[in-house]
Amino acid sequence: MLRVGSKAACMACRNLVSTNMGVRFRVPLQKLHPLSRAIHHRYSGNSNPQRAPHRTAARYFTSMSRLPMRPPKPPPGSGGRSYQQQRGFWVARLAARLLKLRYILLGSAVGGGYTAKKTYDEWKDMLPDFSEYNWVIPDFVWELSEQIDLDKLAKALPEMEEIAKLLPDLDKIGENFTFLKSLLSSGVSLGSEVKGASGLHLLLETSGDPPLKATDSSTAATQDASDKQYKKSSDKEKIDQLQEDLLRTQLKYQRMLERLEKENKELRKVVLQKDDKGIHQRKVKKSLIDLYSEVLDILSDYDSNYNTQDHLPRVVVVGDQSAGKTSVLEMIAQARIFPRGSGEMMTRSPVKVTLSEGPHHVAMFKDSGREFDLTKEEDLAALRHEIELRMRKSVREGQTVSTETISLSVKGPGIQRMVLVDLPGVISTVTAGMASDTKETIFSISKAYMQNPNAIILCIQDGSVDAERSIVTDLVSQMDPQGKRTIFVLTKVDLAEKNLASPSRIQQIVEGKLFPMKALGYFAVVTGKGSSGESIDSIKDYEEDFFQNSRLLRDGMLKAHQVTTKNLSLAVSDCFWKMVRESVEQQADVFKASRFNLETEWKNNYPRLRELDRNELYEKAKNEILDEVISLSQVTPQHWESILQKKLWERVSTHVIENIYLPAAQTMDSGTFNTTVDIKLKQWTDKQLPHKALEVAWETLQEEFARFMAEYKGKDQDDIFDKLKEAVKDESIKRHKWNERAMDSLRVIQHNALEDRSITDKPQWDAAIQFMEETLQSRLKDTESVIRDMVGPDWKQRWWNWKNRTPEQHIRNETKNELERLLKLHDDHTAYLANDEVTTVRKNLEGRGVEVDPVLIKDTWHQLYRRHFLQNALSHCNLCKRGFYYYQRHFVDSELECNDVVLFWRIQRMLVITANTLRQQLTNTEVRRLEKNVKEVLDDFGEDMERKSHLITGRQVQLAEDLKKVREIQEKLEAFIEALHKEK
């Protein structure tokens, strides 16, 4: 046995662990690989001077190391004879050593490579074959692995020594903790002084030392309580957040699964409709009851919108709440498939169950491909949970029951073929938690199914309660007074026999003598002992044992064919198929006539149009809307900029004239004018201008989008898409949000544009003059219109149109004349009237018999002075047409100053640059984002059938929908009738 300690470890083994990592451990030599042990002993020094070094380790791996071993050097005093004999062969000894070292290295490399390859092969054989699961990994992963050079990545990674240098020195950390521990153990109490020492306390406890004890116990208790409370609150918040995230994720993937199931269903339908020239069609032979069930499924979705009612037979299961309807249905289906509750309403919507015989006992929903194995308890529980979820999902907010039908098929050995519909139980009183109209809704649902003249009514009556308390018997008597299609079932007969004093009362019920209701047959059944955990087989055994030992059969009160659910299912199935054979061909003729009428109406009203249903019309409208959105990207830049520049000036022109130009023009010199303009432009740019510009751009995008949709509509467009397009446009605009960072960049651009005062050439000067002149003329025209409305019609209009001034207009006219005389006397008057001037004007008007208010004088003066100022500004604008030469000389030695022209040039240049910037943002970003929003809205609308029905309406749509459904129903009915005749 080899002994290896810390002193015997070689330098090669010590270097396997970096000293900078601060981790010390010992590895026994026996646990090392054989090759590692060989290297260990080959290069390690021998600390024991009495023991020769171990040099034969390489012989395990190579046969090349067979040179004679060097004999040990003789100790001093033993003589030098042997040494003298070997002295002459030092060259040979040196060569032997070098060759031996090479062979050792070569043999170690070969042996290590062989051992590594053998170990790799053993591990490779242990791994399973993953080639069958290559389909799980997407194709782009394999393509990515081919393009990535793993060798280059491996070379680019840092060495282990460099990574070890980045790690913390655990030795120093351990020394620091040892020092702290020594301080705390020496009597230093930190519990009352340091409130954050709880983490350190726990850390030191884990090292094996006794826990610290704070001197102040009350402070520590308070701190612990606060820590626990904070931890509880934070954990609760984390749990709530996780629950919200989980709910959102479930809803997201549930929605995704529903869409994928729908697409898969449509694809399967398309594949099956392909002929032999395309995809190979796989013919699946369906059973007779499955064909019939498909017809009923289509009719359940179609009957509410069609004027011809569904009169195909089915078994309608009705009864009072908790009378045992669901239990009877489960006994017929031979499985516990429905959710159960103690006295509460569990059946909240009609459930259509298609029963058929098959080799395996399975259940499946019509809109899902999953099969539930009814022999397994976990599948049964999952099926009951799924039915409960579908029921709750079908119930709208504020309601208790729903009219939406849940379709389920059950197959199994020995099950009788039929279609049953389990309805919500009839109630007599609305309890707490129910909607106020629950009772009426249940009655209406029951009547809707029972009024079908070919429907078989399976009336369930609870035998354990008084017959007089039954509600459903009166309802059934109203719908089938002759009892030609009613089968009466008395449940819980075991409890009835035990509780009733007179068993003859049960005989009266099953003979139809106690109720006024009539029926084809009467049955008595037992559906369990009242425990929800009972299996179907145990209930059957209990039922058979009960009736074998019951005095009801022994005394002749009941006949043998009237008891057990097995006899009941046989009777119901026979009655169902008898009704089907008698009525199905008549119903097929009704749908054939309906199809003929619908096709005739379509040919007369829409002779040149295809019969597109709602989904097909939606796809057509979707393509048109996307084409209209794409047309936005084809708008020319010149069109965008002209519209943006025009709309932006309309939005800001009032502010520029009223708040910037007019106040600055009241100054007496050009320096004050330029200073006032610069200050007001800076304030305007910082606060209002970028926001106004983005509003204009957003409104322009909306108007252009609406314009393209309106222009596209004129090209032989159907009006049935108008509501859909309007809704898509409004929803897309509602979801669209402008980029927030655009305002900051636009503010900088506008600020730089307004700071520039250098007009470089004469055309720019002339353009500024024209822009200023057009603006002033437009304002002057508006001002004159306001003055005319104030003073009323002049003498020409009064003469030709027979109009007179009102008293207020007469006063304003006299005030206007007085103020105009004041302006003629003082042409350079300021913008505001002084108080003494207002008093003078009022006194002059009173001398002419006109009483006037000072506010009216100031108001009239504002409009008159505005007109006077604009007229003077236009005259000055005409003078500045030849002022470009003086502008270049900075108006030196010239009486002409055209600073207002420079102001309008700055405004005009800012409008051009802003329009260009907004156009770039529209074409590069916002149009694409709007297109993306439109696609998302169209996808959301496409998944919402209720919204599609609301947005795509009209007789054309409804007629196409009816035609599609009637043709599908007729084709399936004909296929069913053909299969029915073959079975005969």
Side-chain angles (χ1 to χ4, degrees), residues 487-512:
I487 297 177
F488 182 84
V489 181
L490 185 66
T491 62
K492 305 177 184 178
V493 182
D494 53 342
L495 299 179
E497 183 184 25
K498 184 185 301 183
N499 297 332
L500 289 178
S502 175
S504 62
R505 187 175 178 85
I506 299 177
Q507 182 180 3
Q508 293 178 349
I509 295 175
V510 298
E511 290 179 354

PDB file of all heavy atoms in Angstrom, residues 487-512:
ATOM      1  N   ILE A 487     -90.017   9.330 -22.199  1.00  0.00           N
ATOM      2  CA  ILE A 487     -89.658   8.157 -21.392  1.00  0.00           C
ATOM      3  C   ILE A 487     -89.419   8.655 -19.967  1.00  0.00           C
ATOM      4  O   ILE A 487     -88.574   9.524 -19.736  1.00  0.00           O
ATOM      5  CB  ILE A 487     -88.411   7.452 -21.941  1.00  0.00           C
ATOM      6  CG1 ILE A 487     -88.690   6.907 -23.339  1.00  0.00           C
ATOM      7  CG2 ILE A 487     -87.969   6.325 -21.006  1.00  0.00           C
ATOM      8  CD1 ILE A 487     -87.493   6.252 -24.000  1.00  0.00           C
ATOM      9  N   PHE A 488     -90.161   8.110 -19.021  1.00  0.00           N
ATOM     10  CA  PHE A 488     -90.076   8.542 -17.632  1.00  0.00           C
ATOM     11  C   PHE A 488     -89.119   7.627 -16.875  1.00  0.00           C
ATOM     12  O   PHE A 488     -89.190   6.390 -17.003  1.00  0.00           O
ATOM     13  CB  PHE A 488     -91.464   8.513 -16.985  1.00  0.00           C
ATOM     14  CG  PHE A 488     -91.478   8.990 -15.567  1.00  0.00           C
ATOM     15  CD1 PHE A 488     -91.549  10.348 -15.265  1.00  0.00           C
ATOM     16  CD2 PHE A 488     -91.414   8.077 -14.522  1.00  0.00           C
ATOM     17  CE1 PHE A 488     -91.565  10.773 -13.958  1.00  0.00           C
ATOM     18  CE2 PHE A 488     -91.429   8.501 -13.206  1.00  0.00           C
ATOM     19  CZ  PHE A 488     -91.501   9.854 -12.919  1.00  0.00           C
ATOM     20  N   VAL A 489     -88.228   8.234 -16.068  1.00  0.00           N
ATOM     21  CA  VAL A 489     -87.237   7.478 -15.299  1.00  0.00           C
ATOM     22  C   VAL A 489     -87.340   7.913 -13.848  1.00  0.00           C
ATOM     23  O   VAL A 489     -87.224   9.108 -13.537  1.00  0.00           O
ATOM     24  CB  VAL A 489     -85.806   7.711 -15.832  1.00  0.00           C
ATOM     25  CG1 VAL A 489     -84.806   6.893 -15.018  1.00  0.00           C
ATOM     26  CG2 VAL A 489     -85.711   7.354 -17.307  1.00  0.00           C
ATOM     27  N   LEU A 490     -87.534   6.967 -12.959  1.00  0.00           N
ATOM     28  CA  LEU A 490     -87.579   7.224 -11.528  1.00  0.00           C
ATOM     29  C   LEU A 490     -86.236   6.792 -10.932  1.00  0.00           C
ATOM     30  O   LEU A 490     -85.865   5.609 -11.002  1.00  0.00           O
ATOM     31  CB  LEU A 490     -88.725   6.451 -10.878  1.00  0.00           C
ATOM     32  CG  LEU A 490     -88.958   6.731  -9.390  1.00  0.00           C
ATOM     33  CD1 LEU A 490     -89.421   8.171  -9.176  1.00  0.00           C
ATOM     34  CD2 LEU A 490     -89.982   5.757  -8.811  1.00  0.00           C
ATOM     35  N   THR A 491     -85.530   7.720 -10.354  1.00  0.00           N
ATOM     36  CA  THR A 491     -84.203   7.439  -9.789  1.00  0.00           C
ATOM     37  C   THR A 491     -84.296   7.283  -8.272  1.00  0.00           C
ATOM     38  O   THR A 491     -85.317   7.598  -7.654  1.00  0.00           O
ATOM     39  CB  THR A 491     -83.218   8.569 -10.136  1.00  0.00           C
ATOM     40  OG1 THR A 491     -83.673   9.794  -9.552  1.00  0.00           O
ATOM     41  CG2 THR A 491     -83.098   8.747 -11.642  1.00  0.00           C
ATOM     42  N   LYS A 492     -83.205   6.774  -7.697  1.00  0.00           N
ATOM     43  CA  LYS A 492     -83.059   6.612  -6.241  1.00  0.00           C
ATOM     44  C   LYS A 492     -84.212   5.787  -5.656  1.00  0.00           C
ATOM     45  O   LYS A 492     -84.819   6.136  -4.634  1.00  0.00           O
ATOM     46  CB  LYS A 492     -82.985   7.982  -5.551  1.00  0.00           C
ATOM     47  CG  LYS A 492     -81.889   8.880  -6.119  1.00  0.00           C
ATOM     48  CD  LYS A 492     -81.871  10.253  -5.467  1.00  0.00           C
ATOM     49  CE  LYS A 492     -80.832  11.168  -6.109  1.00  0.00           C
ATOM     50  NZ  LYS A 492     -80.827  12.517  -5.510  1.00  0.00           N
ATOM     51  N   VAL A 493     -84.506   4.683  -6.341  1.00  0.00           N
ATOM     52  CA  VAL A 493     -85.613   3.819  -5.908  1.00  0.00           C
ATOM     53  C   VAL A 493     -85.276   3.150  -4.583  1.00  0.00           C
ATOM     54  O   VAL A 493     -86.173   2.842  -3.789  1.00  0.00           O
ATOM     55  CB  VAL A 493     -85.916   2.781  -7.005  1.00  0.00           C
ATOM     56  CG1 VAL A 493     -87.096   1.904  -6.608  1.00  0.00           C
ATOM     57  CG2 VAL A 493     -86.210   3.482  -8.319  1.00  0.00           C
ATOM     58  N   ASP A 494     -83.991   2.927  -4.328  1.00  0.00           N
ATOM     59  CA  ASP A 494     -83.626   2.295  -3.054  1.00  0.00           C
ATOM     60  C   ASP A 494     -83.981   3.192  -1.883  1.00  0.00           C
ATOM     61  O   ASP A 494     -84.492   2.725  -0.848  1.00  0.00           O
ATOM     62  CB  ASP A 494     -82.140   1.963  -3.056  1.00  0.00           C
ATOM     63  CG  ASP A 494     -81.286   3.181  -3.402  1.00  0.00           C
ATOM     64  OD1 ASP A 494     -81.851   4.152  -3.959  1.00  0.00           O
ATOM     65  OD2 ASP A 494     -80.075   3.161  -3.130  1.00  0.00           O
ATOM     66  N   LEU A 495     -83.739   4.488  -2.036  1.00  0.00           N
ATOM     67  CA  LEU A 495     -84.128   5.410  -0.973  1.00  0.00           C
ATOM     68  C   LEU A 495     -85.634   5.552  -0.889  1.00  0.00           C
ATOM     69  O   LEU A 495     -86.191   5.702   0.209  1.00  0.00           O
ATOM     70  CB  LEU A 495     -83.477   6.774  -1.216  1.00  0.00           C
ATOM     71  CG  LEU A 495     -81.948   6.811  -1.222  1.00  0.00           C
ATOM     72  CD1 LEU A 495     -81.463   8.230  -1.514  1.00  0.00           C
ATOM     73  CD2 LEU A 495     -81.408   6.325   0.114  1.00  0.00           C
ATOM     74  N   ALA A 496     -86.301   5.515  -2.026  1.00  0.00           N
ATOM     75  CA  ALA A 496     -87.767   5.631  -2.021  1.00  0.00           C
ATOM     76  C   ALA A 496     -88.415   4.449  -1.321  1.00  0.00           C
ATOM     77  O   ALA A 496     -89.362   4.593  -0.539  1.00  0.00           O
ATOM     78  CB  ALA A 496     -88.273   5.747  -3.462  1.00  0.00           C
ATOM     79  N   GLU A 497     -87.916   3.233  -1.571  1.00  0.00           N
ATOM     80  CA  GLU A 497     -88.480   2.040  -0.920  1.00  0.00           C
ATOM     81  C   GLU A 497     -88.241   2.073   0.584  1.00  0.00           C
ATOM     82  O   GLU A 497     -89.073   1.637   1.366  1.00  0.00           O
ATOM     83  CB  GLU A 497     -87.849   0.795  -1.532  1.00  0.00           C
ATOM     84  CG  GLU A 497     -88.428  -0.501  -0.975  1.00  0.00           C
ATOM     85  CD  GLU A 497     -87.717  -1.702  -1.525  1.00  0.00           C
ATOM     86  OE1 GLU A 497     -86.541  -1.560  -1.930  1.00  0.00           O
ATOM     87  OE2 GLU A 497     -88.313  -2.793  -1.546  1.00  0.00           O
ATOM     88  N   LYS A 498     -87.117   2.628   0.987  1.00  0.00           N
ATOM     89  CA  LYS A 498     -86.784   2.667   2.401  1.00  0.00           C
ATOM     90  C   LYS A 498     -87.604   3.721   3.142  1.00  0.00           C
ATOM     91  O   LYS A 498     -88.018   3.517   4.282  1.00  0.00           O
ATOM     92  CB  LYS A 498     -85.292   2.959   2.573  1.00  0.00           C
ATOM     93  CG  LYS A 498     -84.819   2.930   4.018  1.00  0.00           C
ATOM     94  CD  LYS A 498     -83.362   3.345   4.097  1.00  0.00           C
ATOM     95  CE  LYS A 498     -82.474   2.435   3.276  1.00  0.00           C
ATOM     96  NZ  LYS A 498     -81.039   2.797   3.419  1.00  0.00           N
ATOM     97  N   ASN A 499     -87.853   4.891   2.488  1.00  0.00           N
ATOM     98  CA  ASN A 499     -88.484   6.010   3.180  1.00  0.00           C
ATOM     99  C   ASN A 499     -90.003   6.006   3.064  1.00  0.00           C
ATOM    100  O   ASN A 499     -90.692   6.531   3.941  1.00  0.00           O
ATOM    101  CB  ASN A 499     -87.950   7.334   2.627  1.00  0.00           C
ATOM    102  CG  ASN A 499     -86.453   7.485   2.873  1.00  0.00           C
ATOM    103  OD1 ASN A 499     -85.921   6.934   3.834  1.00  0.00           O
ATOM    104  ND2 ASN A 499     -85.778   8.212   1.993  1.00  0.00           N
ATOM    105  N   LEU A 500     -90.535   5.476   1.962  1.00  0.00           N
ATOM    106  CA  LEU A 500     -91.982   5.537   1.769  1.00  0.00           C
ATOM    107  C   LEU A 500     -92.678   4.492   2.644  1.00  0.00           C
ATOM    108  O   LEU A 500     -92.236   3.337   2.745  1.00  0.00           O
ATOM    109  CB  LEU A 500     -92.330   5.282   0.302  1.00  0.00           C
ATOM    110  CG  LEU A 500     -91.948   6.409  -0.675  1.00  0.00           C
ATOM    111  CD1 LEU A 500     -92.304   6.011  -2.100  1.00  0.00           C
ATOM    112  CD2 LEU A 500     -92.648   7.703  -0.302  1.00  0.00           C
ATOM    113  N   ALA A 501     -93.772   4.920   3.247  1.00  0.00           N
ATOM    114  CA  ALA A 501     -94.551   3.982   4.076  1.00  0.00           C
ATOM    115  C   ALA A 501     -95.341   3.018   3.207  1.00  0.00           C
ATOM    116  O   ALA A 501     -95.571   1.870   3.581  1.00  0.00           O
ATOM    117  CB  ALA A 501     -95.486   4.761   5.002  1.00  0.00           C
ATOM    118  N   SER A 502     -95.744   3.484   2.026  1.00  0.00           N
ATOM    119  CA  SER A 502     -96.541   2.653   1.122  1.00  0.00           C
ATOM    120  C   SER A 502     -95.772   2.451  -0.169  1.00  0.00           C
ATOM    121  O   SER A 502     -95.701   3.364  -0.996  1.00  0.00           O
ATOM    122  CB  SER A 502     -97.905   3.319   0.847  1.00  0.00           C
ATOM    123  OG  SER A 502     -98.617   2.585  -0.106  1.00  0.00           O
ATOM    124  N   PRO A 503     -95.178   1.280  -0.411  1.00  0.00           N
ATOM    125  CA  PRO A 503     -94.466   1.031  -1.663  1.00  0.00           C
ATOM    126  C   PRO A 503     -95.371   1.068  -2.885  1.00  0.00           C
ATOM    127  O   PRO A 503     -94.887   1.203  -4.003  1.00  0.00           O
ATOM    128  CB  PRO A 503     -93.879  -0.373  -1.459  1.00  0.00           C
ATOM    129  CG  PRO A 503     -93.854  -0.572   0.028  1.00  0.00           C
ATOM    130  CD  PRO A 503     -95.055   0.175   0.545  1.00  0.00           C
ATOM    131  N   SER A 504     -96.655   0.927  -2.670  1.00  0.00           N
ATOM    132  CA  SER A 504     -97.565   0.994  -3.819  1.00  0.00           C
ATOM    133  C   SER A 504     -97.527   2.353  -4.491  1.00  0.00           C
ATOM    134  O   SER A 504     -97.947   2.488  -5.647  1.00  0.00           O
ATOM    135  CB  SER A 504     -98.989   0.680  -3.359  1.00  0.00           C
ATOM    136  OG  SER A 504     -99.430   1.645  -2.405  1.00  0.00           O
ATOM    137  N   ARG A 505     -97.037   3.390  -3.807  1.00  0.00           N
ATOM    138  CA  ARG A 505     -96.928   4.707  -4.419  1.00  0.00           C
ATOM    139  C   ARG A 505     -95.911   4.679  -5.565  1.00  0.00           C
ATOM    140  O   ARG A 505     -96.107   5.340  -6.591  1.00  0.00           O
ATOM    141  CB  ARG A 505     -96.507   5.728  -3.359  1.00  0.00           C
ATOM    142  CG  ARG A 505     -96.519   7.166  -3.843  1.00  0.00           C
ATOM    143  CD  ARG A 505     -96.205   8.100  -2.682  1.00  0.00           C
ATOM    144  NE  ARG A 505     -96.145   9.500  -3.099  1.00  0.00           N
ATOM    145  CZ  ARG A 505     -97.198  10.304  -3.193  1.00  0.00           C
ATOM    146  NH1 ARG A 505     -98.416   9.842  -2.895  1.00  0.00           N
ATOM    147  NH2 ARG A 505     -97.048  11.563  -3.555  1.00  0.00           N
ATOM    148  N   ILE A 506     -94.846   3.888  -5.395  1.00  0.00           N
ATOM    149  CA  ILE A 506     -93.873   3.732  -6.480  1.00  0.00           C
ATOM    150  C   ILE A 506     -94.530   3.037  -7.661  1.00  0.00           C
ATOM    151  O   ILE A 506     -94.309   3.386  -8.829  1.00  0.00           O
ATOM    152  CB  ILE A 506     -92.651   2.941  -5.981  1.00  0.00           C
ATOM    153  CG1 ILE A 506     -91.971   3.683  -4.839  1.00  0.00           C
ATOM    154  CG2 ILE A 506     -91.675   2.677  -7.117  1.00  0.00           C
ATOM    155  CD1 ILE A 506     -90.796   2.946  -4.240  1.00  0.00           C
ATOM    156  N   GLN A 507     -95.390   2.065  -7.375  1.00  0.00           N
ATOM    157  CA  GLN A 507     -96.093   1.375  -8.452  1.00  0.00           C
ATOM    158  C   GLN A 507     -97.004   2.339  -9.208  1.00  0.00           C
ATOM    159  O   GLN A 507     -97.091   2.290 -10.437  1.00  0.00           O
ATOM    160  CB  GLN A 507     -96.903   0.216  -7.872  1.00  0.00           C
ATOM    161  CG  GLN A 507     -97.638  -0.598  -8.932  1.00  0.00           C
ATOM    162  CD  GLN A 507     -98.441  -1.743  -8.329  1.00  0.00           C
ATOM    163  OE1 GLN A 507     -98.487  -1.876  -7.100  1.00  0.00           O
ATOM    164  NE2 GLN A 507     -99.028  -2.557  -9.167  1.00  0.00           N
ATOM    165  N   GLN A 508     -97.663   3.219  -8.496  1.00  0.00           N
ATOM    166  CA  GLN A 508     -98.513   4.206  -9.176  1.00  0.00           C
ATOM    167  C   GLN A 508     -97.694   5.135 -10.081  1.00  0.00           C
ATOM    168  O   GLN A 508     -98.146   5.514 -11.162  1.00  0.00           O
ATOM    169  CB  GLN A 508     -99.264   5.031  -8.136  1.00  0.00           C
ATOM    170  CG  GLN A 508    -100.290   4.244  -7.346  1.00  0.00           C
ATOM    171  CD  GLN A 508    -100.983   5.095  -6.284  1.00  0.00           C
ATOM    172  OE1 GLN A 508    -100.557   6.220  -6.010  1.00  0.00           O
ATOM    173  NE2 GLN A 508    -102.027   4.552  -5.674  1.00  0.00           N
ATOM    174  N   ILE A 509     -96.483   5.483  -9.615  1.00  0.00           N
ATOM    175  CA  ILE A 509     -95.646   6.383 -10.422  1.00  0.00           C
ATOM    176  C   ILE A 509     -95.216   5.690 -11.705  1.00  0.00           C
ATOM    177  O   ILE A 509     -95.322   6.256 -12.810  1.00  0.00           O
ATOM    178  CB  ILE A 509     -94.418   6.846  -9.608  1.00  0.00           C
ATOM    179  CG1 ILE A 509     -94.853   7.708  -8.416  1.00  0.00           C
ATOM    180  CG2 ILE A 509     -93.448   7.627 -10.496  1.00  0.00           C
ATOM    181  CD1 ILE A 509     -93.730   8.100  -7.499  1.00  0.00           C
ATOM    182  N   VAL A 510     -94.699   4.453 -11.624  1.00  0.00           N
ATOM    183  CA  VAL A 510     -94.169   3.781 -12.814  1.00  0.00           C
ATOM    184  C   VAL A 510     -95.292   3.280 -13.718  1.00  0.00           C
ATOM    185  O   VAL A 510     -95.033   2.914 -14.873  1.00  0.00           O
ATOM    186  CB  VAL A 510     -93.243   2.621 -12.404  1.00  0.00           C
ATOM    187  CG1 VAL A 510     -92.050   3.133 -11.633  1.00  0.00           C
ATOM    188  CG2 VAL A 510     -93.994   1.582 -11.588  1.00  0.00           C
ATOM    189  N   GLU A 511     -96.514   3.250 -13.241  1.00  0.00           N
ATOM    190  CA  GLU A 511     -97.638   2.898 -14.105  1.00  0.00           C
ATOM    191  C   GLU A 511     -98.303   4.125 -14.713  1.00  0.00           C
ATOM    192  O   GLU A 511     -99.231   3.996 -15.508  1.00  0.00           O
ATOM    193  CB  GLU A 511     -98.666   2.089 -13.310  1.00  0.00           C
ATOM    194  CG  GLU A 511     -98.181   0.686 -12.959  1.00  0.00           C
ATOM    195  CD  GLU A 511     -99.217  -0.080 -12.149  1.00  0.00           C
ATOM    196  OE1 GLU A 511    -100.258   0.534 -11.775  1.00  0.00           O
ATOM    197  OE2 GLU A 511     -99.000  -1.273 -11.889  1.00  0.00           O
ATOM    198  N   GLY A 512     -97.825   5.336 -14.346  1.00  0.00           N
ATOM    199  CA  GLY A 512     -98.368   6.558 -14.926  1.00  0.00           C
ATOM    200  C   GLY A 512     -99.706   6.947 -14.373  1.00  0.00           C
ATOM    201  O   GLY A 512    -100.448   7.705 -15.023  1.00  0.00           O
TER     202      GLY A 512
END
